[in-house]
Amino acid sequence: LEFRRVLFRSQLELTNGSVTASGDTLTLGTATTTTGALVHTSGYVIGTFRRWVASATASNIVFPIGSSAYYNGAEFDFTSAPTTGGTILATYTATKPDATGLPVTDGGESCMNLGVGYWQFTAGNGFTGGTYTVRLAANGMPGVSDPPSLHLVQRTGNGASWTGNEIGRAHV
């Protein structure tokens, strides 16, 4: 299924297959008071998925994203509420990012290689603060024989240097 600019106000149900965003964005919800519900059995968005998030503690906020070949979704648990609710824009890109700033030290270990894809999360519509954990589905990553030894590194934008987040191994 392919689409352009689709907004799901109250509920989005993904049960199988993939939806291609064709360079546009699929949005769930309309405001911090109308965040919408995701019923996710299987399936995902290839492209950009925006989701409204309230200023509240919440678990299992799923971002069903991936590539043309694999599900590479993300799931956030907010253990402390965001200061201000808003949106999170999520994409998964199935190409190896540039290595600017590598190697980095994370959790006392030197990290010098990047995977064949990356996730990008962007706050919008006033979203700030909160404490969270994130789980990522690292499907389709060739050469990964020991997933618990992976690290998540971060950067502030394309071309910026990668940095460790000092939490150590990612357990993806």
Side-chain angles (χ1 to χ4, degrees):
L1 179 62
E2 189 171 328
F3 68 90
R4 302 226 19 117
R5 292 194 180 147
V6 175
L7 169 66
F8 293 89
R9 294 180 191 278
S10 60
Q11 181 171 305
L12 168 63
E13 185 171 346
L14 292 171
T15 58
N16 193 19
S18 61
V19 178
T20 302
S22 295
D24 223 320
T25 302
L26 186 148
T27 301
L28 178 59
T30 58
T32 57
T33 55
T34 311
T35 59
L38 175 66
V39 178
H40 182 246
T41 306
S42 181
Y44 56 93
V45 175
I46 300 169
T48 305
F49 181 71
R50 176 185 293 126
R51 188 159 188 183
W52 281 88
V53 178
S55 178
T57 57
S59 296
N60 306 315
I61 300 175
V62 175
F63 290 84
I65 55 177
S67 69
S68 60
Y70 295 100
Y71 174 73
N72 300 101
E75 188 172 323
F76 284 75
D77 293 330
F78 283 89
T79 54
S80 127
T83 307
T84 307
T87 58
I88 298 175
L89 191 74
T91 58
Y92 176 79
T93 303
T95 58
K96 188 172 185 167
D98 70 81
T100 303
L102 292 183
V104 298
T105 300
D106 183 53
E109 297 180 329
S110 180
C111 302
M112 58 185 78
N113 295 309
L114 294 172
V116 296
Y118 61 95
W119 294 263
Q120 184 173 354
F121 303 99
T122 306
N125 295 293
F127 184 90
T128 59
T131 303
Y132 62 89
T133 59
V134 63
R135 287 178 297 286
L136 302 171
N139 296 315
M141 303 279 178
V144 176
S145 58
D146 184 18
S149 70
L150 296 175
H151 289 255
L152 294 177
V153 293
Q154 61 191 9
R155 65 180 179 178
T156 57
N158 291 335
S161 291
W162 292 99
T163 60
N165 54 40
E166 294 307 321
I167 61 168
R169 295 178 180 202
H171 301 287
V172 292

